[in-house]
Amino acid sequence: MAASFDPAAARGRSSRPVGTVTRGTTNTNRLRRMDRWIAHTLGPALRSLPLPPVAVDLGYGAAPWTAVELSGRLRTVRADVRVVGIEIEPERVAAALPYADPPLLTFRRGGFEVPLDSAGPGGARPLLIRAANVLRQYEESAVAAVWERLCGRLAPGGLLVEGTCDEIGRRHVWVALGPEGPRTVTFAARLGGLGQPSDLAERLPKALIHHNVPGRPVHAFLTDFDRAWSAAAPYGAFGARQRWVAACTSLAGSWPLVDARGRWRQGEVTVPWSALAP
Ligand SMILES: C[S@@+](CC[C@H](N)C(=O)[O-])C[C@H]1O[C@@H](n2cnc3c(N)ncnc32)[C@H](O)[C@@H]1O
């Protein structure tokens, strides 16, 4: 059964974390594509902040691997970045503590209220909140309120990255939101073994997955992408990467893609949220 979220209750004074414990499935290396994109997209902001930036891995799961890896990845961009793993399930917090490396990597219990130390760097406002494979287990009706709540916690120039992937991170789709709301949707795949772009449909974030039906923008996008992928089949002789780049080049004729060849070569493509919004 999907977890629910009661925004009215969440506005109360309860000190209980906001949200619901859900399955804790995770894996090493699972979020590498998302980590890479975050490091690229937030790179300028990470480098330019005068104080150490704060990044949150919200709902890291039964083991702390995704937070540990996010910390490692972001430290290549900004050596003093502080990653805070936040998990609503207390035993998962206890299991993560031996992996802490304060002040660079810490773990604490919490939920969508995103508890942070107001005396810490960034004044308790994170530059990044990443919530991967968390909202997937909630009702679709919860998404808007959770997004609003999390976006309201961001530092100026910050980003909420919320999405879904398969168990070993071969197929990934995420929404990126700024303090003002949703901005983009990114599709990312391991291209070897990809049948067609619409294979990513089963990993659409909660806000989109129930709208992948004829007549809706996300369905039209994936249909056009499959068509472009099919037309680009001859490029497959040079490898799946060349085929993906050719398909994206063609897709850019009819969809307002916001990235270009450099990211397409990574097996990504990013579209404005406004083009796919249900
Ligand atoms: C499927 S795991 C995802 C783990 C990891 N993010 C990944 O992608 O591999 C989802 C985790 O989110 C946690 N969770 C669910 N709602 C939450 C909330 N409101 N705040 C913090 N953690 C939450 C669950 O307890 C669970 O451990």
Side-chain angles (χ1 to χ4, degrees):
M1 200 177 75
S4 57
F5 170 74
D6 179 352
R11 278 193 292 274
R13 291 174 178 274
S14 163
S15 59
R16 284 176 48 193
V18 179
T20 310
V21 174
T22 55
R23 279 191 311 277
T25 317
T26 187
N27 234 321
T28 54
N29 239 350
R30 184 187 200 190
L31 302 183
R32 62 195 178 284
R33 296 176 199 285
M34 198 187 245
D35 287 349
R36 214 160 44 207
W37 184 89
I38 288 169
H40 169 79
T41 306
L42 272 183
L46 281 165
R47 284 186 211 96
S48 65
L49 278 187
L51 290 172
V54 177
V56 168
D57 192 20
L58 185 68
Y60 56 81
W65 315 138
T66 64
V68 171
E69 289 164 1
L70 181 65
S71 170
R73 170 65 69 177
L74 295 186
R75 275 193 237 176
T76 66
V77 181
R78 172 79 188 237
D80 60 357
V81 62
R82 314 241 158 134
V83 171
V84 185
I86 296 180
E87 182 37 77
I88 199 165
E89 209 284 321
E91 286 182 16
R92 296 174 189 164
V93 180
L97 290 178
Y99 298 87
D101 177 17
L104 298 179
L105 176 61
T106 53
F107 297 96
R108 65 185 297 170
R109 182 167 184 233
F112 295 137
E113 76 285 4
V114 191
L116 290 174
D117 178 6
S118 57
R125 290 209 172 264
L127 187 64
L128 168 74
I129 301 174
R130 187 267 293 285
N133 300 298
V134 175
L135 284 189
R136 182 71 185 267
Q137 298 178 62
Y138 282 75
E139 304 278 1
E140 186 193 352
S141 57
V143 173
V146 173
W147 277 3
E148 191 183 337
R149 189 174 184 107
L150 296 179
C151 287
R153 296 288 290 115
L154 291 171
L159 219 51
L160 164 64
V161 180
E162 188 272 303
T164 308
C165 67
D166 65 344
E167 289 69 19
I168 56 172
R170 285 172 309 182
R171 293 172 189 174
H172 230 315
V173 189
W174 61 80
V175 183
L177 303 91
E180 79 292 352
R183 290 181 183 167
T184 56
V185 184
T186 297
F187 298 77
R190 179 176 176 275
L191 298 177
L194 182 72
Q196 54 185 355
S198 63
D199 290 353
L200 274 74
E202 62 188 28
R203 301 299 161 182
L204 283 167
K206 196 69 179 191
L208 292 174
I209 193 160
H210 302 299
H211 300 279
N212 184 30
V213 291
R216 296 295 177 94
V218 68
H219 186 269
F221 175 77
L222 288 171
T223 303
D224 285 356
F225 204 172
D226 281 353
R227 204 174 290 126
W229 175 255
S230 183
Y235 288 87
F238 305 105
R241 188 190 298 255
Q242 292 304 325
R243 184 175 177 181
W244 180 268
V245 169
C248 291
T249 305
S250 151
L251 201 58
S254 46
W255 289 87
L257 308 187
V258 300
D259 53 0
R261 194 181 175 85
R263 300 312 301 176
W264 300 342
R265 285 183 53 76
Q266 306 281 335
E268 292 172 10
V269 67
T270 297
V271 190
W273 167 257
S274 56
L276 301 191

